[in-house]
Amino acid sequence: MSTLIDGKALAAKMRAQMGEEVENLVKETGKRPGLAVILVGADPASQIYVRNKEKACESVGILSTAHRLSAETSEEELLKLIDRLNEDPEIHGILCQLPVPDHICTDNILQRISPQKDVDGFHPINVGNLVLGKECLMPCTPAGVMEMLNAYNIDPEGQHCVIVGRSTLVGKPLIQMMLNKNATVTVTHSRTRDLASICCQGDILVAAVGVPELIGRDHIKQGAVVIDVGINRREDGKLIGDVDGVAAAEVASYYTPVAGGVGPMTITMLLKNTIRAYKNAYGV
Ligand code: NAD
């Protein structure tokens, strides 16, 4: 019998708790947590993501301020805005929605955001602290994966975790998070030979690839925990993951659906990071 890991329900439960926590903290500090979201250009998908982040903030009592800038905004102007937000005591978290237009250097932007306000966990200081196993703001999607495992009492300690995908956003930070929980970690990627035989060894198998249903029955060990980070849109508009969901439901002990799995957890972890940054700012 396979158990579905319900990310949507977990996210809703966490947000309800965060809403209460925020109101208590506002009474204590007299200040409300503030998140600044920067969007450069009019990419339709990015506009939806930013709107969703604003709505999520409202739902837990975080003040969100969106800075919607034209696609022609120069890197210098963007850096000046970040400098202003870094200094603004009402703003505790800053994120710049990626991708930014080609004339802007992504690294320069990410490195300019104060590490204390870096709620995406992309600043090299936060990346370094994650590697060192120290307290830091962590990238939201892999942090959401760890939160889901924890909520379902799945302890990575001693387990073999196979990660498919080595992106800076998901795969690489997840390696560290799993190591920090004493898992044995194998990471695979587009140049990996005989992917199925490696995936089959995973007690915990995480797919973060962006290739629809790459992971099939042959990749899943009987009784494994299967986490599907992938979000792919089929021609008929339906969202599907990197894992064949039917196979996962038959072979895995636990598995995440797409949609309603990792997706809702990502924004929830952004809220968690913003509250963390705010608490750090007031020492509460
Ligand atoms: P990416 O394109 O940056 O990285 C993909 C990784 O997959 C690379 O490391 C690449 O080497 C590897 N890869 C590609 N083809 C492969 C193959 N055939 N075999 C093995 N490895 C292969 O992607 P990303 O940003 O990490 O995102 C991955 C997926 O996760 C996408 O579908 C994305 O939409 C989704 N995603 C979901 C969330 C969420 O909130 N649920 C957040 C971020 C990304």
Side-chain angles (χ1 to χ4, degrees):
M1 242 294 273
S2 202
T3 302
L4 183 136
I5 299 182
D6 190 341
K8 197 174 165 191
L10 177 59
K13 185 176 157 201
M14 286 179 68
R15 289 185 198 189
Q17 287 167 349
M18 285 178 195
E20 281 178 27
E21 187 186 12
V22 166
E23 293 318 313
N24 288 334
L25 287 164
V26 169
K27 280 184 204 140
E28 197 177 334
T29 63
K31 298 278 185 193
R32 199 161 272 286
L35 173 69
V37 181
I38 305 170
L39 173 62
V40 188
D43 175 61
S46 293
Q47 286 178 327
I48 294 171
Y49 294 142
V50 167
R51 184 69 206 119
N52 287 344
K53 286 170 187 175
E54 286 181 294
K55 276 200 255 177
C57 283
E58 278 166 32
S59 75
V60 301
I62 294 174
L63 283 178
S64 77
T65 323
H67 297 263
R68 293 181 167 82
L69 310 179
S70 85
E72 286 73 44
T73 302
S74 68
E75 183 174 313
E76 202 188 337
E77 285 170 304
L78 183 52
L79 291 173
K80 271 190 191 152
L81 171 62
I82 293 171
D83 287 344
R84 262 207 335 269
L85 295 170
N86 280 340
E87 294 302 318
D88 187 340
E90 306 292 324
I91 296 296
H92 309 97
I94 304 169
L95 76 83
C96 183
Q97 185 66 45
L98 299 179
V100 288
D102 288 344
H103 65 275
I104 296 174
C105 170
T106 304
D107 282 349
N108 288 348
I109 300 309
L110 298 181
Q111 290 177 24
R112 193 67 156 246
I113 295 172
S114 156
Q116 286 75 30
K117 297 190 179 187
D118 168 39
V119 285
D120 264 338
F122 293 159
H123 192 286
I125 296 251
N126 282 317
V127 175
N129 279 333
L130 176 61
V131 173
L132 294 170
K134 290 187 176 169
E135 166 82 29
C136 61
L137 293 167
M138 290 191 264
C140 299
T141 301
V145 169
M146 300 308 287
E147 192 79 38
M148 290 171 110
L149 296 179
N150 186 46
Y152 281 76
N153 295 317
I154 299 162
D155 184 359
E157 177 153 333
Q159 305 223 47
H160 185 184
C161 174
V162 176
I163 300 169
V164 191
R166 57 173 165 186
S167 70
T168 312
L169 198 68
V170 189
K172 281 185 188 162
L174 191 61
I175 298 170
Q176 283 313 138
M177 292 179 199
M178 285 289 179
L179 281 177
N180 292 345
K181 291 287 176 193
N182 298 317
T184 300
V185 182
T186 299
V187 63
T188 63
H189 46 79
S190 54
R191 310 279 174 90
T192 297
R193 279 189 230 119
D194 198 2
L195 184 69
S197 74
I198 299 172
C199 289
C200 263
Q201 298 170 34
D203 304 311
I204 300 174
L205 177 61
V206 184
V209 190
V211 177
E213 297 186 340
L214 173 74
I215 304 300
R217 196 172 305 253
D218 293 349
H219 298 74
I220 305 172
K221 178 177 171 177
Q222 185 72 42
V225 174
V226 179
I227 307 287
D228 191 353
V229 178
I231 302 177
N232 310 287
R233 198 170 285 282
R234 255 182 8 194
E235 274 178 16
D236 63 5
K238 189 173 183 275
L239 288 185
I240 53 169
D242 292 342
V243 179
D244 172 352
V246 175
E250 282 174 15
V251 184
S253 56
Y254 291 86
Y255 71 102
T256 60
V258 174
V262 178
M265 291 302 292
T266 295
I267 294 189
T268 304
M269 300 313 288
L270 171 69
L271 304 176
K272 190 173 177 184
N273 276 350
T274 304
I275 296 169
R276 177 79 264 158
Y278 156 87
K279 285 162 82 172
N280 289 346
Y282 295 106
V284 289

